[in-house]
């Protein structure tokens, strides 16, 4: 009985604190400001995009370097 009251109380209080931010986000992402959608979130999105792009370039160069190294014949000892 007590456990049931606690679980109901937790569920009912958690749902009261929920704020619907969908209309705010729709306004932000549908605004025509010339930015691509993946950068409309601000500085955090820009940092995430640049970090991802940098890691992608670094990883590609790293893979190509090791492909080149592994394609060379080994020197005899």
């Amino acid at each position: 009985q007590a456990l049931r009251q606690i679980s109901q109380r937790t569920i009912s209080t958690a749902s009261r604190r929920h704020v619907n931010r969908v209309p705010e986000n729709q306004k932000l992402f549908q605004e025509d400001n010339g930015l691509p959608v993946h950068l409309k979130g601000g500085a955090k999105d820009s940092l995430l995009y640049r970090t991802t792009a940098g890691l992608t370039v670094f990883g590609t160069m790293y893979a190509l370097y090791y492909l080149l190294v592994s394609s060379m014949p080994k020197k005899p000892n």
Side-chain angles (χ1 to χ4, degrees):
Q1 196 65 307
L3 181 62
R4 193 164 133 204
Q5 285 180 341
I6 291 171
S7 65
Q8 286 177 346
R9 192 176 307 142
T10 305
I11 291 169
S12 65
T13 55
S15 63
R16 284 187 209 146
R17 286 186 240 137
H18 179 70
V19 177
N20 186 8
R21 294 209 168 107
V22 172
E24 297 171 19
N25 287 334
Q26 282 177 336
K27 188 183 288 187
L28 173 72
F29 286 102
Q30 290 176 356
E31 183 181 335
D32 188 18
N33 55 6
L35 287 174
V37 72
H38 61 275
L39 295 177
K40 285 192 176 191
K44 191 168 78 170
D45 280 355
S46 180
L47 179 68
L48 184 62
Y49 172 74
R50 289 179 185 191
T51 302
T52 304
L55 286 171
T56 303
V57 169
F58 174 76
T60 302
M61 291 175 65
Y62 186 75
L64 290 175
Y65 170 76
Y66 272 96
L67 185 65
L68 178 71
V69 167
S70 64
S71 68
M72 297 292 179
K74 289 188 174 186
K75 295 178 185 173
N77 289 339

